[in-house]
Amino acid sequence: MLLNIIDPALIDWSRAQFALTACYHWLFVPLTLGLAVVMGIMETLYVWKKDPFWKRTAQFWMKLFGINFAIGVATGIILEFEFGTNWSNYSWFVGDIFGAPLAIEGIVAFFMEATFIAVMFFGWNKVSRGFHLASTWLTGLGATLSAWWILVANSWMQHPVGMAFNPDTVRNEMMDFFAVAFSPVAVVKFFHTVLSGWMTGAVFVVGVSCWYLLRRRERAFALASIRVAAVTGLVATLGVMFTGDRSGIDVARHQPMKLAAAEGLRRGGTQAPFSIVPGVEVPGMLSVLATHDVDGFVPGIDDLLDGYTAPDGTQHLSADERMRRGRLALDAFAAYRAHAKSDPAAAAAARKVMDEHMDHFGYGYIASRSDLVPPVTLVYWAFRVMVGAGCLLLLVLAAMLWYGRGGRLAAKRPLLMAGLWSIPLVYLAGQAGWVVAEVGRQPWAIQDLLPVNAAVSQLSPASVQTTFWLFLVLFTVLLVAEVRILCGAIRKGPEGDELLPAGEGR
Amino acid sequence: MITYAFLQAYWWFLVALLGGLLVFLLFVQGANSLIFALGGNEEERRLIVNSTGRKWEFTFTTLVTFGGAFFASFPLFYSTSFGGAYWLWMLILVSFVLQAVAYEFQSKPGNVLGRTVYRRFLVVNGIVGPFLLGVAVATFFTGSAFVVGKSAMADVAAPVISRWANAWHGLDALANPWVWLLGLAVVFLARTLGSLYLINNVDDAALAPRIRRQVLTDAVPFVVLFVAFVVYVLTKEGYAVDPVTQAVSLAPHKYWHNLVAMPAVAVVFVLGVVLVLYGVVRTLMSPRFVRGIWTAGAGTVLAVLALLLLAGYNDTAFYPSTADLQSSLTLRNSCSSEFTLRTMAWVSLLIPVVLAYIAYAWHAIDRRSLTRSELDKDEHRY
C-alpha cells in the first residue's frame, strides 16, 4: 500500500545518509588535492635538478596518495548515485541543469585522473621522465577539474542561476550554460574549497615530517618536505582566507538566513556586531564582513521571518507571505496542468499567476515558518571552529617557514608537536566548513526553489536506515584500515637507505 | 539538421556506447572472479590482481560516467530507476566500493581485514557487479513496476514524481527468470573476457594453459545463456510508442521488427557477435594467439551497443513500466531539454580526445606483458 504522504523520518534518514557519505568523502578528497600539488612540485624538482633524492621523496608521498585515493573514489561513486537513489524528485526537477556538470566531470576529469594515475604509479620504468612528470601533474589536474564541476553543481544549489521553470515538463531547464558553469559564486567556492584541500595536503606533509623530526629520523627528507609543503600551505591558507571573505559576501547576498544562523543573530541592523564566542563581540564587524561596509545592513533570523525594510527602502517579505505566495504558485501550477490540454485560456491565466509568484515556488512546500531556520547552534559553532582552526594553522605554517631557514627547525620540539597536531586540526576545519555550507542552508536542497521534503525519493524510512548503517559500518571499517595502513607506511618511512640530497655527505 | 529528435537519438547512442564500453571493461571483474580459481599459489594470484589492478580505474570511471551521462541526457531515467530500483543499484554500488579499496589495501600491513578478505571482495564484485548490471539492462526489455506522474509536484504533502509500485525496490526484477539469463550471461561474458585479457597481459608459463582452458569453461555457458536471451527478446512482445500520440502499447515481436527496420543496427549486432566468437574460438584453437581480448572486446562493445539501440530506437520505450504502460520512459519523455542536449553534444566532442589519450597511456604501460620478475622489481604493486 502506498501512503500518499512523505514521512519526516524518511527525510531525516535520507539527509543523514547523504551527510554521512559527504563527510567521509571529504576526509579523503582534500588530501588527494593537496598531496597532488606537493608531489607534483617534488617531482618537478627531481626532473629539474636530476637529483634522485627528490624522486624518492616524491615517491614516498605518492605512496600515501595512492592509499588515500582509492577510498576517496569509493565514497565518491556513492555520492554521485545518491542524487538518483535518495533524491529522485530532485534529479528530475533540476536534472536538466544539474546532470550536465556531473557528466562533464566524468568525461573531462575522471578519465584524466584514472588514466594518468596508472602512468604515475606503474610508468616509472616504462615512460620517459617528462611524460611521467606530465602524468603526475595531469592526475592532480584531473582531480582539480573534477572539483571544479562538482562545486559548480553545489554552487548552483546554493544560488540557482541560468534556468527557468517549465510547467509542461515540470522541471527547471537550463537557459544559459555559462551562467551555470562560471557563476561567480562557483568561482569563489572552487578556490575556497580547492585551496583548503591544498592546505590539508600541505599540513599533512608538514605534520608527518614533524613526526620524523621528533623521532630524529629522516632529517633531510623531513626538512625538505616541510620546505615545499609550508610554502604551498601558506599560499593556500592566505587564498582560503581571501576567498572565505568573498564567500561571506555571497552568503550575505544570496543566503541571508545561513549567515544569520552562523552568527546566531536574532535581530540584525546596521553596524551589526560579530560574535567571537557567545558574550564576546566586535562591534560593527559583521557588517564589515557581510557587506564590506561598517554601516551595511545585516538581517537577523527574526527579521528574515517577520519581513523587514532594508535601509535602501527595499521591502523584504515575511516568511508567512512567501509561503502564501508559494502556495499560490503551486496551485496555479496544478491548475495549469489540469487545463493545459483542454482549456488554453484557463491554462494561460494559471501560468500567469504561477510566473508571477515563481520566486516563492519553493516556499509553497514549507509547512511552518520555523522550518526555515537551520540548526543555529551547530552552524554557529562549526563556523567558529573553521575560522579558528584556519587562523591557528596559518600561524603554525608561518612559524615552520620562519624557523625552517637555517635548519633551526629540528630543535624546536614544541613547534614540531604543534605541526603534528595540526593534522587533526586541518581535517576539523574542512569538515566544519562543509557543515556551515550545507547545514546552514537547510531546509533547502536548492535555495528558495526546492526544500528537502520535496526533493526526496519515496522509499520506506527503514530501507534508507538500513543503507545508512551499512555505509556507516563499511566506511568506518575502511577508514580505520586506511589510517592504520597510512601509519604503517609512515613508520616504515621512505624506501631504502636514509635519504640525502645530492652533494650532502653522510 | 540537428533537431531535438536527432539530439535525443544522438545521446541515446552515446549512452549505449558507454554501456558497451562498460560491459567490455567488466573484464576486470571477470578476471577478479577467477583469482582463486586460476591462481594456484600466492605468486599467481598476485600476478592476476596486479594485472587487473592496472585497469580497474577505467571500468570504475566508465560506470561513473555512464551514470553521469544518463543523468545529463535522460534525467527521468536517473530519477525513476535509481530512486525506484533502490536495492538493485545500492548492491551494485556497494560491490564497486569494496572493489575500489581492495586493490590498494590488500597487501599492506595494518589493513585490518587481511589479504584474503580483500581478495574475496574482488571476487564478490567480480560476480555480483556483472550479474546485477546484466539484470538492470534486462529490465530495459522486460519492464519494471513504476508509475510516473509529473503533476504530483503540486501535491504539497507528497510531491513525488516517480513511485515504485512495490516494496521490493528493484529486487523484484529477480522474480522474472528471463532476467537471470542476461545477468548470468554477463557474468560468464565478463569471465571469458577476463581470461582473454589475462592471456594478453600476463606472460607466465604456469598460468597460461590454465587460463586457456578457463576460456572454454566460461564461453560455453555464455553462448547458451546469451542465445537464449536474444531469442526471448526477439520473439517477445515489446513496448511500442506511437510516434504521433506518444501512447505506449504492447506490440508483438517489437524488438525483432526493430532489428529488421534498422539494418545498420542488425549489422552491428551480428558483427559484434561474430567478433566475440572469433576471439574466443581462435584463442582456443591457436595456443600462441593472444589478441582475443581485442576482437572479443570490440565485439562486446558492438553487440551491447546494438542491443541498447534496439531498446530505445524506432519508437520504442527504453524503460518500460509494467505497472502503468503510459508511465514508460521513452527517449522523448525522459530526456533533457533541447538546450542541454545541444550544449552537452558540444562537450561530447571531447570524447575522441579522451579515448585517444587512454589508448596512448594504456599502450605505454602495457608495451610488455606482466611477468613475475617485473612484479618483483616494480615500485608500485598490490
Side-chain angles (χ1 to χ4, degrees):
Chain A
M1 183 59 207
L2 292 169
L3 285 179
N4 239 16
I5 191 155
I6 294 278
D7 187 338
L10 170 67
I11 301 163
D12 289 343
W13 282 105
S14 302
R15 284 182 55 204
Q17 178 167 308
F18 201 86
L20 171 83
T21 323
C23 285
Y24 268 94
H25 189 52
W26 194 249
L27 286 176
F28 313 112
V29 172
L31 189 61
T32 298
L33 292 169
L35 275 185
V37 175
V38 173
M39 61 202 205
I41 294 174
M42 288 170 171
E43 193 179 336
T44 307
L45 288 171
Y46 160 61
V47 172
W48 180 29
K49 298 188 169 178
K50 305 200 173 44
D51 180 353
F53 168 81
W54 284 113
K55 178 180 174 186
R56 288 161 75 187
T57 304
Q59 277 182 322
F60 174 73
W61 297 112
M62 278 175 192
K63 187 169 151 191
L64 304 190
F65 177 91
I67 296 165
N68 176 71
F69 182 78
I71 184 163
V73 171
T75 46
I77 192 173
I78 302 282
L79 212 48
E80 176 188 338
F81 283 93
E82 268 176 359
F83 287 110
T85 55
N86 293 84
W87 305 99
S88 73
N89 236 31
Y90 171 94
S91 294
W92 172 252
F93 194 66
V94 295
D96 195 56
I97 304 114
F98 195 82
L102 263 65
I104 300 175
E105 186 185 20
I107 295 168
V108 175
F110 287 152
F111 275 111
M112 185 186 284
E113 213 177 356
T115 305
F116 292 103
I117 199 175
V119 180
M120 180 174 95
F121 279 129
F122 304 107
W124 283 108
N125 304 322
K126 297 185 177 118
V127 301
S128 73
R129 235 182 247 181
F131 184 27
H132 193 278
L133 178 65
S135 301
T136 302
W137 280 111
L138 284 170
T139 305
L141 179 66
T144 310
L145 283 176
S146 117
W148 173 273
W149 290 108
I150 199 65
L151 292 170
V152 160
N154 180 277
S155 301
W156 188 83
M157 300 165 88
Q158 315 270 356
H159 177 51
V161 287
M163 82 298 179
F165 180 69
N166 179 348
D168 294 315
T169 51
V170 193
R171 65 174 170 196
N172 286 274
E173 295 182 349
M174 185 149 49
M175 293 288 141
D176 182 348
F177 176 73
F178 289 95
V180 175
F182 300 99
S183 137
V185 175
V187 173
V188 170
K189 192 168 197 91
F190 168 77
F191 282 106
H192 190 62
T193 312
V194 167
L195 290 174
S196 86
W198 290 22
M199 250 178 103
T200 308
V203 167
F204 178 83
V205 171
V206 167
V208 170
S209 303
C210 286
W211 183 81
Y212 284 128
L213 294 176
L214 284 167
R215 291 290 179 101
R216 300 194 165 80
R217 282 178 58 185
E218 320 286 350
R219 192 164 180 277
F221 162 84
L223 288 173
S225 295
I226 288 177
R227 259 202 312 282
V228 172
V231 173
T232 313
L234 204 61
V235 170
T237 309
L238 293 172
V240 168
M241 290 182 159
F242 176 72
T243 50
D245 172 64
R246 299 299 314 170
S247 66
I249 306 267
D250 284 342
V251 169
R253 194 172 303 151
H254 306 303
Q255 299 175 302
M257 183 60 91
K258 184 195 281 187
L259 184 75
E263 291 312 311
L265 186 72
R266 298 304 317 190
R267 284 284 170 198
T270 55
Q271 302 191 2
F274 178 79
S275 152
I276 294 177
V277 286
V280 185
E281 288 183 347
V282 185
M285 189 65 185
L286 180 59
S287 285
V288 173
L289 289 175
T291 62
H292 282 190
D293 174 7
V294 73
D295 290 321
F297 182 85
V298 182
I301 295 169
D302 292 334
D303 299 318
L304 289 161
L305 292 181
D306 297 342
Y308 64 97
T309 309
D312 64 5
T314 333
Q315 288 281 339
H316 292 262
L317 298 176
S318 71
D320 290 320
E321 179 58 20
R322 295 198 77 174
M323 284 155 60
R324 191 184 71 81
R325 294 190 186 190
R327 299 247 155 76
L328 287 177
L330 278 173
D331 290 343
F333 162 68
Y336 175 85
R337 296 285 296 176
H339 297 305
K341 285 190 182 125
S342 52
D343 183 352
R351 169 125 205 199
K352 192 162 170 285
V353 176
M354 188 194 81
D355 287 344
E356 194 183 324
H357 297 302
M358 199 58 213
D359 286 348
H360 313 288
F361 187 87
Y363 286 84
Y365 296 108
I366 304 289
S368 125
R369 65 182 222 155
S370 62
D371 293 349
L372 290 166
V373 183
V376 174
T377 314
L378 181 57
V379 180
Y380 176 90
W381 283 108
F383 184 72
R384 267 128 206 96
V385 167
M386 172 183 76
V387 175
C391 293
L392 278 175
L393 291 166
L394 181 73
L395 288 179
V396 173
L397 288 167
M400 290 286 162
L401 265 190
W402 181 258
Y403 290 107
R405 300 169 316 148
R408 290 174 295 162
L409 189 57
K412 302 275 174 204
R413 296 186 75 80
L415 181 57
L416 296 178
M417 285 302 288
L420 183 56
W421 283 102
S422 295
I423 297 180
L425 204 61
V426 78
Y427 280 97
L428 198 63
Q431 295 283 329
W434 277 111
V435 169
V436 174
E438 301 302 297
V439 178
R441 69 171 153 121
Q442 293 305 318
W444 299 108
I446 305 158
Q447 187 70 37
D448 294 350
L449 189 62
L450 189 73
V452 283
N453 57 310
V456 76
S457 303
Q458 174 100 337
L459 296 159
S460 75
S463 295
V464 184
Q465 222 172 329
T466 310
T467 46
F468 171 87
W469 290 110
L470 174 72
F471 288 137
L472 181 66
V473 172
L474 181 64
F475 292 160
T476 306
V477 169
L478 297 179
L479 175 67
V480 171
E482 193 225 5
V483 171
R484 286 190 50 180
I485 294 171
L486 278 176
C487 289
I490 291 166
R491 217 170 290 126
K492 192 165 161 235
E495 303 280 334
D497 307 328
E498 183 163 338
L499 284 171
L500 288 175
E504 255 182 63
R506 298 224 160 183
Chain B
M1 265 306 283
I2 299 185
T3 59
Y4 196 14
F6 174 84
L7 288 165
Q8 290 161 6
Y10 175 68
W11 272 98
W12 183 251
F13 176 83
L14 287 184
V15 166
L17 183 65
L18 274 171
L21 287 169
L22 177 62
V23 176
F24 158 52
L25 289 164
L26 287 178
F27 72 75
V28 168
Q29 275 59 35
N32 284 345
S33 76
L34 296 166
I35 295 172
F36 294 100
L38 287 176
N41 56 42
E42 172 52 28
E43 267 202 330
E44 291 172 357
R45 288 194 281 269
R46 212 179 65 176
L47 269 174
I48 296 170
V49 168
N50 276 279
S51 174
T52 60
R54 296 171 182 202
K55 302 290 156 32
W56 75 268
E57 300 250 12
F58 292 116
T59 316
F60 200 90
T61 306
T62 306
L63 174 61
V64 172
T65 307
F66 179 72
F70 234 140
F71 194 2
S73 50
F74 300 97
L76 193 56
F77 169 80
Y78 197 84
S79 113
T80 301
S81 179
F82 287 78
Y86 187 76
W87 285 109
L88 183 63
W89 292 108
M90 277 296 173
L91 289 174
I92 292 174
L93 292 179
V94 169
S95 92
F96 275 89
V97 168
L98 294 178
Q99 182 238 24
V101 292
Y103 281 110
E104 198 63 43
F105 284 12
Q106 60 183 292
S107 296
K108 299 222 163 52
N111 63 12
V112 179
L113 301 173
R115 172 149 61 201
T116 310
V117 172
Y118 285 105
R119 287 202 180 147
R120 293 219 173 98
F121 285 170
L122 292 180
V123 176
V124 167
N125 168 252
I127 294 167
V128 172
F131 176 70
L132 292 181
L133 284 171
V135 166
V137 170
T139 62
F140 285 26
F141 299 95
T142 61
S144 308
F146 62 86
V147 179
V148 174
K150 290 176 184 167
S151 293
M153 208 57 203
D155 176 1
V156 175
V160 177
I161 288 172
S162 304
R163 293 166 188 277
W164 210 250
N166 61 54
W168 289 94
H169 280 288
L171 297 181
D172 43 324
L174 296 173
N176 181 345
W178 294 105
V179 163
W180 284 75
L181 284 187
L182 189 64
L184 291 172
V186 176
V187 170
F188 284 106
L189 173 63
R191 284 160 73 96
T192 308
L193 292 171
S195 299
L196 294 175
Y197 166 76
L198 290 176
I199 288 170
N200 181 272
N201 195 252
V202 177
D203 179 10
D204 191 77
L207 262 177
R210 245 176 288 151
I211 303 177
R212 280 177 191 272
R213 273 197 300 279
Q214 187 68 39
V215 172
L216 185 64
T217 314
D218 293 321
V220 171
F222 161 67
V223 170
V224 172
L225 289 161
F226 182 71
V227 167
F229 183 78
V230 169
V231 169
Y232 162 71
V233 163
L234 294 181
T235 53
K236 83 187 284 288
E237 53 187 4
Y239 299 82
V241 185
D242 186 304
V244 179
T245 64
Q246 291 293 300
V248 178
S249 60
L250 280 170
H253 306 303
K254 173 64 179 158
Y255 301 105
W256 169 253
H257 290 310
N258 284 357
L259 199 64
V260 175
M262 300 184 289
V265 175
V267 169
V268 169
F269 182 71
V270 173
L271 184 65
V273 173
V274 167
L275 281 173
V276 172
L277 293 177
Y278 173 79
V280 168
V281 171
R282 182 141 180 223
T283 303
L284 292 173
M285 306 290 281
S286 113
R288 267 206 289 273
F289 181 67
V290 295
R291 295 177 170 276
I293 181 64
W294 296 119
T295 44
T300 302
V301 176
L302 295 179
V304 174
L305 170 69
L307 263 186
L308 288 172
L309 294 184
L310 278 190
Y313 279 1
N314 199 37
D315 298 314
T316 313
F318 72 89
Y319 199 63
S321 170
T322 51
D324 168 35
L325 216 47
Q326 300 317 319
S327 288
S328 300
L329 305 191
T330 66
L331 296 193
R332 194 158 130 185
N333 72 15
S334 68
C335 70
S336 279
S337 67
E338 184 171 357
F339 179 83
T340 297
L341 289 184
R342 196 177 292 276
T343 308
M344 292 304 294
W346 283 107
V347 174
S348 74
L349 298 180
L350 288 171
I351 292 176
V353 179
V354 175
L355 290 175
Y357 73 64
I358 290 176
Y360 182 70
W362 187 314
H363 176 72
I365 296 292
D366 276 2
R367 219 163 288 161
R368 292 184 304 268
S369 294
L370 188 64
T371 60
R372 295 179 194 219
S373 64
E374 185 198 330
L375 217 46
D376 286 334
K377 62 176 193 296
D378 210 326
E379 279 141 335
H380 193 91
R381 61 166 174 267
Y382 298 119

